[in-house]
């Protein structure tokens, strides 16, 4: 199980809950699991989010592996100028 | 092969870090380089766009019959000529051509293509649009009031529980943070809370948007345009026009500046639609006024910041509320502003709330570190005031609270290796920081952060028969990136810099590339170039192994040559890249390296800026006397162009701080859509801008590269405000700090002093 | 509206063209003569990207009518390198990385050339004020000013050596 | 639109007289071409006066200077005697737009464009310049302050052409100066402009003065109260304060995107004072630094 934390804004879709225990070996599996655990988050997750794994931000790598003890943080989708 | 385990890491570079002339330089100093408006086609028509003179109006009807009847007019289009999509492209579709309503002064409502510019202009005057003028709203706070005119009946604030029952101009509410800010404030010795405002500013690229479109009756299209991302232009244009992506080929011209403003489409789908209807090529070039009225400036904002500090300089809590208007559509960069607001600090208790607000202004577009300069302006102003209040040096306070490796960022995750402290120390050690100041002069400091992004990237590197290298990238070169690509390819291949030629290939020649944004090109296209070069090296070694008849893994690549290694070391004379290339046709055909990937871990870049200003106490006019930028580049591939990014961002920030602003009349029309009254800094406004490049390697890149393009615009607004405040003993909380505003504040202070 | 026939000397070559009386010289250069080195950044004389030299005077070609060029001598960026050799200013712009996007570069080079033809020993302040009508949004002007000063210095030495 | 470039003043006047539609004079064109572009109706006739050699010259006349209407601003700065005699006029002309603009723009055009913020006009008014106007009914000479009457409007009649501006002989111990306030260091339209011309006697007492303000009213103003504050004084602190007060009091409403009323009032006084100090230094023969 990976401990997954939500950025503040996403918490308003999880009834204020900020931490989830999700089964998954990569980012895609964790996002899918999170969508199962909290269906209201699903449309946001599908629209696209960024995922910080041990402080490194991934915006489009669903297949990136995640160790069970990794720090996983779900962030909004981001872009620059 | 994991990049971090290759021989290159930790070894000194032979090419990277030098300052060769840029490969596109000659064309650019001789006038030969072709920008957006420099292309023509046989039988070309001239396109023009009719724009709404109203800030907010229902379009009852459009009668274009008289325009269509004008001799020389070959096509007139309106929103009906695009697919009525309801998907994620909806806002872009409606922004490109107004549908039910015109949402801002300058919103496109129709377009024509004619045989000359004069006829096109006359045709526009013959199009009759029946408008029902509606009440409008320009200011961000006004737009949030319950009685404000509503732009979109279907906009219900997201991120609020329970979902609002009434539509509003607030598209979304965002929040970030951790800890207990109330407890943090209770523990503070000094708490400061202030409200700030910034005006909308435009990216101000000197080249107006321009394109040349050609769509044939077979449905195939060609588009030449100035853009930060031609693959993005292709995909969105195809979607709006209902074309197959494969049928549209987009070629990126040289681009005359973008700064984020050319990361979306405006006229490109319009030119394609006109061409499709007219059956002839159509050239469409915006005027400067159109650029200001109809392309994206950044948000205007209203920001409240509260911070508490202990006497020893430890910040105990930080809180901010950000309101950003992003023009007529959702999507202001408030979320990024909220996430970056306190990113420079190691905080136990932090809370940020942001509101994304719509108003009757042009749809905002990304502008260099979108959202970050405004929140940094507010936060860094308060940080300075905290330092003043507890009598601590403005750099020392920041050093005491600076984010570092292992700090949990205010926006959530934990930072890896970052260089904020190094930039602060560089600023403190710089002679600038110790230089004496004269009367009416003040010194300001501010820090800044930007995330930096990677993204989808695809490059192709081909070894030519003469041993030269053709590198095709898909990210438009906006500030010298081709030079950096050549350097990195040359570094890997062990050939000289001038044997590599990099071009920005069209959309049919490479796989998808994300736009040139997020300070990503030297990082992401650079990493793709390195990977492609390593793949080519592998093939070169394989070819040499085959020639020698030894196993592939018994060959190593050193200094541009394949050498037998292991038991065969010295058994054969080395084969140079040139020799292997010459034999390629007879040893298996062309040799190339490719890379398609999604670059991640861009690694944030931090900066500290120092500025001295002098304020004329009788007129309120501020003069920038000295400016120094210290920024972490990870590894500067071409230091001259890194310096250029640092200087350019500082100059844009100075303009934002002092004089740039969108000025609206009570009618909701933009009053200053030109370079005369939208005042970007001119050469005589600025001093030399000193730079210190700090290099804290980014573990996410084989050379340690971090993006550098955006961070440099984050600190200047606050650095300037802090300097003006130091020079005048008045705290400035509104931008721009134009002379009337400054003089007004100085007069108010004099009056208050007189009253005491 | 009658098109006019105009004869000029452009970069040393005799050139003839036809244009409408209200057409700007910039449009003539770009659209009729394919001299697209001069750029239109504003069309109102506020950015300097269309700078050319007209009978020894630096002007914005967007604020000149094409018909006014009759019998005049014009110098554009296309004529700045002579016989394949770059002007010292062009070389110094490259060496100093004085351009990022490059859209303003032709205008800066033409304007700087006009300055150095009048004053081969300008101060930094003189360079900055002379070039105040040329907008650059990329560089913050630092490297441009250095390039101009360096070119002036090299040209002074060349003159003394000659 | 018809374009004519006559070689003589007579021909120019005849062309203007014969035109029934709208006609415009093209001198530097730096305002005219911007107007064309902004979509204002194109005139029927444009008369380019730059081929008239008499209008392209600066000539010494009766101890003063006659500046042809087609002389570009840059040429003023290149005329050494003019720079020495009327530094304030020259500095005003060299503040109009960029180097590029000064290569084309003329002070006569600046005057006839009738912008309230025209940089050279307060300097010309302060200098007591006279405009020579030629028309179907002959020649007339008018003080420059009577040429602009409202934004974009002049007192010139149909068919009339401003031929030259005459700067009178400068009395000894005189000096002039022009300063303007803009937010940037260059390229802006004046938010306030102040021109001062003054003459001292042998003892350093001001015997004559003219003060003019730009951009504070619908047209540039000759402010007699401000001049009176200087006459009879040595421009001591008291006199300069009175000058500043008179200048601040002289404004008539302009409140726009370029500057608030409050700001213009305040800065008009500041600039009038600074311009007077500059003119005084020149009258005393002191050197003044440029930018």
């Amino acid at each position: 199980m990976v401990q997954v934390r939500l950025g503040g804004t996403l918490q308003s879709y999880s009834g204020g809950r900020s931490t989830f225990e999700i089964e998954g070996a990569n980012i895609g599996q964790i996002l899918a699991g999170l969508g199962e655990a909290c269906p209201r988050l699903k449309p946001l997750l599908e629209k696209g989010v960024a995922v910080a794994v041990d402080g490194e931000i991934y915006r489009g790598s669903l297949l990136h592996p995640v160790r069970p003890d990794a720090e996983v943080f779900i962030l909004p989708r981001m872009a620059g100028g | 092969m994991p990049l971090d385990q290759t021989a290159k890491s930790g070894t000194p570079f032979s090419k990277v870090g030098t300052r060769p002339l840029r490969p596109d330089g000659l064309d650019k100093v001789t006038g030969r380089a072709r920008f957006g408006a420099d292309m023509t086609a046989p039988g070309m028509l001239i396109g023009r766009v009719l724009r709404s003179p109203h800030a907010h109006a229902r379009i009852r009807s459009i009668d274009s019959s008289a325009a269509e009847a004008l001799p020389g007019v070959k096509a007139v289009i309106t929103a009906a000529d695009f697919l009525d999509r309801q998907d994620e492209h909806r806002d872009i579709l409606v922004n490109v051509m107004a549908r039910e309503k015109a949402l801002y002064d300058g919103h496109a409502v129709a377009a024509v293509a004619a045989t000359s510019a004069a006829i096109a202009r006359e045709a526009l005057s013959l199009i009759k649009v029946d408008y029902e003028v509606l009440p409008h709203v320009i200011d961000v706070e006004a737009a949030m009031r319950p009685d404000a005119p509503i732009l979109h009946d279907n906009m219900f604030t997201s991120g609020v529980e329970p979902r609002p029952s009434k539509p509003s101009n607030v598209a979304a509410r965002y929040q970030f943070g951790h800890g207990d800010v109330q407890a943090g404030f209770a523990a503070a010795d000094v708490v400061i809370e202030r409200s700030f405002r910034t005006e909308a500013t435009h990216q101000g690229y000197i080249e107006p948007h321009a394109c040349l479109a050609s769509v044939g009756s077979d449905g195939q299209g060609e588009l030449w345009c100035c853009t930060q991302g031609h693959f993005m232009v292709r995909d969105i244009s195809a979607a709006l026009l209902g074309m197959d992506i494969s049928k549209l080929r987009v070629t990126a011209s040289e681009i005359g500046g973008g700064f984020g403003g050319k990361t979306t489409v405006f006229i490109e789908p319009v030119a394609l639609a006109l061409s499709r209807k007219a059956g002839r090529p159509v050239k469409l070039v915006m005027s400067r006024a159109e650029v200001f009225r109809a392309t994206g400036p950044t948000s205007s904002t209203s920001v409240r910041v509260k911070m508490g500090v202990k006497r020893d300089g430890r910040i105990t809590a930080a809180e901010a509320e950000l309101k950003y208007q992003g023009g007529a559509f959702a999507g202001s960069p408030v979320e990024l502003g909220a996430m970056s607001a306190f990113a420079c600090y190691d905080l136990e208790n932090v809370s940020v709330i942001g509101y994304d607000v719509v108003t009757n202004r042009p749809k905002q577009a990304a502008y260099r570190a979108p959202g970050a300069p405004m929140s940094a302006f507010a936060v860094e102003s308060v940080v300075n005031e905290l330092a003043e209040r507890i009598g601590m040096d403005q750099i020392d306070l920041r050093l005491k609270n600076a984010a570092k490796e292992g700090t949990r960022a205010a926006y959530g995750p934990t930072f890896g290796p970052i260089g904020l402290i190094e930039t602060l120390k560089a600023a403190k050690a710089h002679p600038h920081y110790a230089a004496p100041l004269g009367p009416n002069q003040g010194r300001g400091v501010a820090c800044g952060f930007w995330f930096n992004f990677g993204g989808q990237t695809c490059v192709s590197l081909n070894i030519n028969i003469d041993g030269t290298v053709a590198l095709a990238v898909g990210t438009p070169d906006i500030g010298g990136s081709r030079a950096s690509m050549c350097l990195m390819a040359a570094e890997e291949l062990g050939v000289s810099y001038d044997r590599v030629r990099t071009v920005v290939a069209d959309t049919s020649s490479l796989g998808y590339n994300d736009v040139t944004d997020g300070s990503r090109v030297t990082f992401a296209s650079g990493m793709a170039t390195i990977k492609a070069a390593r793949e080519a090296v592998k093939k070169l070694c394989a070819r040499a192994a085959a020639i020698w008849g030894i196993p592939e893994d018994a060959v190593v690549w050193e200094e541009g040559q394949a050498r037998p290694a292991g038991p065969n070391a010295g058994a054969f004379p080395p084969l140079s890249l040139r020799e292997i290339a010459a034999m390629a046709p007879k040893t298996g055909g062309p040799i190339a390296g490719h890379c398609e990937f999604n670059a991640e871990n861009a690694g944030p870049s931090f900066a500290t800026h120092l500025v001295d200003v002098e304020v004329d106490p009788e007129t309120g006019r501020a003069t920038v006397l000295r400016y120094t930028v210290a920024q972490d580049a990870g590894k500067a591939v071409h230091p001259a162009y890194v310096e250029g990014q640092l200087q350019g961002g500082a100059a844009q920030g100075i303009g934002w701080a002092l004089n740039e602003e969108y000025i609206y009349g009570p009618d909701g029309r933009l009053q200053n859509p030109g370079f005369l009254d939208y005042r970007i800094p001119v050469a005589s406004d600025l001093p030399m801008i000193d730079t210190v490049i700090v290099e804290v390697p980014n573990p996410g890149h084989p050379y340690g590269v971090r993006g550098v393009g955006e961070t440099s615009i984050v600190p200047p607004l606050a650095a300037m405000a802090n300097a003006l405040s130091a020079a005048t003993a008045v705290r400035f909380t509104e931008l721009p700090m134009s002379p009337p505003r400054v003089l007004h504040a100085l007069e108010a202070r004099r009056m208050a002093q007189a009253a005491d | 509206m009658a098109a006019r026939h105009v004869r000029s000397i452009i970069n040393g070559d005799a050139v003839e063209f036809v244009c409408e009386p209200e057409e700007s010289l910039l449009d003539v250069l770009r659209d009729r003569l394919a001299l697209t080195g001069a750029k239109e950044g504003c069309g109102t004389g506020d950015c300097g990207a269309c700078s050319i030299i007209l009978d020894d005077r630096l002007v914005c070609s967007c604020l000149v009518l094409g018909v006014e060029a009759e019998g005049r001598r014009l110098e554009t960026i296309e004529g700045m390198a002579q016989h394949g050799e770059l002007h010292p200013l062009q070389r110094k712009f490259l060496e100093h990385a004085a351009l990022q996007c490059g859209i303003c570069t032709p205008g800066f080079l033409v304007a700087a050339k006009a300055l150095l033809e009048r004053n081969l020993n300008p101060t930094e302040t003189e360079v900055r004020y002379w070039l105040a009508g040329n907008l650059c949004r990329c560089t913050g002007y630092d490297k441009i000013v250095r390039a101009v000063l360096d070119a002036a210095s090299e040209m002074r030495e060349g003159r003394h050596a000659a | 639109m018809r374009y004519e470039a006559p070689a003589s003043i007579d021909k120019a006047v005849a062309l203007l007289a014969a035109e029934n539609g709208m006609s415009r004079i093209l001198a530097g064109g730096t305002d005219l071409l911007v107007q064309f572009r902004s979509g204002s109706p194109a005139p029927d006739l444009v008369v380019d006066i730059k081929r008239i050699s008499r209008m392209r010259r600066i000539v010494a006349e009766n101890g003063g200077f006659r500046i042809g209407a087609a002389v570009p601003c840059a040429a003023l700065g290149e005329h050494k005697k003019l720079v020495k005699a009327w530094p304030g006029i020259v500095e005003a002309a060299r503040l109009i737009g960029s180097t590029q603009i000064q290569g084309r723009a003329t002070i006569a055009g600046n005057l006839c464009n009738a912008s309230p913020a025209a940089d050279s006009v307060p300097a010309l008014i302060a200098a007591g310049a006279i405009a020579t106007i030629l028309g179907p009914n002959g020649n007339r000479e008018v003080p420059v302050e009577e040429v602009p009457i409202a934004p974009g409007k002049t007192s010139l009649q149909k068919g009339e052409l401003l031929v030259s501006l005459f700067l009178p002989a400068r009395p000894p111990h005189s000096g002039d100066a022009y300063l303007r306030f803009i937010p940037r260091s260059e390229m802006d339209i004046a938010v306030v402009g102040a021109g001062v011309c003054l003459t001292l006697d042998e003892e350093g007492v001001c015997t004559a003065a003219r003060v003019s303000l730009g951009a504070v009213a619908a047209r540039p103003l000759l402010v007699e109260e401000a001049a009176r504050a200087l006459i009879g004084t040595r421009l001591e602190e008291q006199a300069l304060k009175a000058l500043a007060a008179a200048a601040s009091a002289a404004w008539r409403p302009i409140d726009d995107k370029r500057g608030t009323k409050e700001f213009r009032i305040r800065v008009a006084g500041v600039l009038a004072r600074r311009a007077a100090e500059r003119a005084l230094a020149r009258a005393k023969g002191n050197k003044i630094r440029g930018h």
Side-chain angles (χ1 to χ4, degrees), chain B residues 64-365:
Chain B
S64 60
S65 52
E68 280 159 32
L70 185 70
V73 172
K74 302 297 178 187
V76 180
I77 61 159
T78 63
D81 292 86
F82 297 92
L83 285 191
D84 190 5
R85 302 182 72 105
Q86 298 289 344
D87 56 9
E88 77 270 21
H89 296 306
R90 180 72 187 175
D91 286 354
I92 292 179
L93 171 74
V94 175
N95 192 43
V96 159
M97 197 62 75
R99 301 189 86 84
E100 294 82 18
K101 292 205 290 184
L103 292 163
Y104 54 91
D105 165 37
H107 198 167
V109 293
V112 302
T115 51
S116 77
I119 294 171
R121 218 175 6 245
E122 194 185 343
L124 290 190
S125 70
L126 296 173
I127 299 175
K128 292 185 195 72
V129 185
D130 183 12
Y131 291 107
E132 176 194 344
V133 178
L134 303 171
H136 65 271
V137 62
I138 295 294
D139 179 71
V140 59
E141 299 272 6
M144 293 177 77
R145 287 190 199 119
D147 59 344
I150 298 293
L151 272 74
H152 306 284
D153 292 337
N154 59 350
M155 183 172 280
F156 296 87
T157 310
S158 70
V160 177
E161 286 290 301
R163 182 177 186 265
S165 59
K166 276 173 52 184
S168 77
N169 293 324
V170 182
R173 178 184 182 278
Y174 300 103
Q175 78 182 59
F176 295 93
H178 55 252
D180 180 345
V181 286
Q182 292 322 315
F185 287 125
D189 293 316
V190 173
V191 174
I192 287 175
E193 178 172 9
R194 284 201 182 270
S195 294
F196 299 82
R197 291 178 65 93
T198 68
E199 241 318 327
T201 55
H202 197 275
Q203 297 82 353
Y205 33 82
I206 307 300
E207 179 196 32
H209 299 258
C211 65
L212 172 59
S214 180
V215 183
S217 54
D218 58 358
Q220 299 200 69
E222 300 274 336
L223 180 70
W224 160 273
C225 63
C226 56
T227 176
Q228 288 177 245
H230 43 313
F231 292 88
M232 168 279 297
V233 171
R234 177 193 64 179
D235 289 9
I236 294 179
S237 297
L240 301 194
L241 290 156
M243 292 171 76
D244 288 347
I245 285 177
S246 65
K247 293 238 170 87
L248 180 57
R249 182 170 74 140
V250 183
T251 306
S253 69
E254 292 294 338
I255 174 173
F259 315 107
K262 292 177 183 166
T263 56
T264 183
V265 297
F266 298 101
I267 52 173
E268 297 82 359
V270 175
L272 285 163
L274 284 168
S275 176
R276 182 166 69 178
K277 200 160 185 176
R280 287 168 65 171
V282 175
K283 182 169 176 173
L284 192 43
V285 180
M286 276 193 181
S287 69
R288 178 53 54 185
E290 286 181 290
V291 172
F292 276 114
R293 288 171 69 209
T295 71
T298 188
S299 294
S300 66
T301 72
S302 173
V303 178
R304 183 183 58 79
V305 169
K306 182 176 176 185
M307 295 177 84
V309 68
K310 282 189 163 304
R311 295 241 165 262
D312 66 0
R314 184 70 202 148
I315 297 171
T316 57
E319 182 183 280
E321 184 184 58
L322 285 61
K323 300 164 184 169
Y324 286 24
Q325 69 75 26
F329 301 90
S332 82
V334 69
E335 205 170 11
L336 295 170
M339 291 167 73
S340 62
F342 296 109
C344 290
Y345 299 102
D346 181 358
L347 299 171
E348 276 176 34
N349 308 299
V350 57
S351 164
V352 190
I353 294 171
Y355 296 95
D356 178 14
V357 184
V358 296
T359 63
N360 294 111
R361 297 181 182 229
K363 180 175 172 23
Q364 72 86 33

Side-chain angles (χ1 to χ4, degrees), chain B residues 645-685:
Chain B
Q645 290 296 324
L646 271 42
Q647 293 164 336
Q652 284 185 320
I654 291 168
W656 196 337
L658 288 183
N659 285 308
E660 291 180 35
E661 61 178 319
Y662 263 48
I663 303 171
Y664 283 92
D667 56 2
R669 290 181 189 163
L670 183 63
Q671 295 198 334
N672 57 337
F675 279 135
L676 183 62
D677 286 306
Y678 184 88
R679 304 186 186 98
I680 77 171
V682 301
S684 49
D685 289 340

Side-chain angles (χ1 to χ4, degrees), chain B residues 22 25 28-29 37-38 202-204 206 255 257 288 367 640-641 643-644 647-648 652 660 681 683 686-689, chain C residues 30 37 39-41 77 86 90 94-95 97 99-103 109 128 132 135 137-143 145:
Chain B
R22 59 195 286 168
K28 285 184 173 164
V29 298
D38 296 341
H202 197 275
Q203 297 82 353
I206 307 300
I255 174 173
R288 178 53 54 185
Y367 181 17
Y641 288 101
E643 291 162 5
Q647 293 164 336
Q652 284 185 320
E660 291 180 35
L686 297 175
M688 291 299 185
I689 298 169
Chain C
R30 291 179 52 81
K39 308 297 180 191
E40 178 172 313
I77 185 65
L86 293 182
Q90 291 173 307
L94 291 176
E95 287 173 17
L99 52 145
Q100 283 175 36
C101 80
I103 191 88
L109 286 166
R128 287 185 181 277
L135 300 182
R137 191 60 158 169
C138 293
T139 64
Y141 304 104
D142 182 298
K143 292 182 189 298
V145 174

Side-chain angles (χ1 to χ4, degrees), chain B residues 415-430:
Chain B
F415 283 124
I418 52 172
L420 173 61
I421 285 176
E422 287 77 359
T423 68
L424 278 162
K425 287 182 173 165
K428 195 173 177 187
H430 196 283

Side-chain angles (χ1 to χ4, degrees), chain D residues 69-82:
Chain D
V71 173
C73 290
L76 269 53
E78 293 159 6
H79 195 288
K80 291 206 168 70
K81 287 181 176 162
L82 182 71

